[in-house]
Amino acid sequence: MTRSKKLIVCAALLPLVAGGALAASSASAEPKPAPRLAAATTHWGKFDASGNQLAGDGSITGVDHFGGGRYNLFTNFDATNCALTGTLNTQGGNDPGPGNSSILLGLVDSNRLFVRAATPPGVDNDRPFSVAIFC
């Protein structure tokens, strides 16, 4: 092939090569979809200071109030790999005690949670509370 024919062929191929590179470049620049996360199931309950369940989704099937500020909650699901969270509530809109208060949630076994409510200085005390369990 003569030199002039090579130049003509190269000149004809240049836009095709450049277009392909542009197409490849723009294709790789497209955003990737975010990975799909599994939806969490939320179980919850709201309780008065005596341990009576005031509201909930039905997954907390029983409460054992066995001491000042101490409760066991029984569930109809396996809570082994769930995240536990809780908060102390007011009693009918009134602050039930002075200062800061605390709540502790823990797993006793796969279907039982332990709740401990306390007021300063760390004295167990019956308090209204709510729990949320995310699985």
Side-chain angles (χ1 to χ4, degrees):
M1 190 180 288
T2 65
R3 182 179 167 108
S4 61
K5 286 184 183 178
K6 286 181 183 176
L7 286 174
I8 292 171
V9 170
C10 286
L13 291 176
L14 184 60
L16 295 174
V17 172
L22 180 61
S25 170
S26 66
S28 63
E30 290 180 23
K32 294 181 181 178
R36 292 184 49 90
L37 302 175
T41 300
T42 304
H43 306 281
W44 64 277
K46 180 177 180 177
F47 305 86
D48 68 14
S50 297
N52 298 308
Q53 189 168 5
L54 305 173
D57 71 334
S59 61
I60 299 173
T61 58
V63 180
D64 177 21
H65 180 212
F66 61 92
R70 293 174 180 259
Y71 313 83
N72 277 331
L73 307 181
F74 299 90
T75 68
N76 62 6
F77 62 95
D78 183 346
T80 303
N81 294 313
C82 301
L84 310 175
T85 186
T87 188
L88 295 175
N89 299 329
T90 61
Q91 281 176 254
N94 297 318
D95 182 0
N100 295 326
S101 301
S102 65
I103 185 169
L104 167 84
L105 269 71
L107 194 62
V108 176
D109 57 42
S110 63
N111 298 96
R112 185 170 37 147
L113 307 176
F114 170 71
V115 177
R116 178 181 175 234
T119 54
V123 176
D124 292 350
N125 192 2
D126 291 348
R127 301 293 298 268
F129 63 94
S130 295
V131 298
I133 306 144
F134 303 96
C135 305

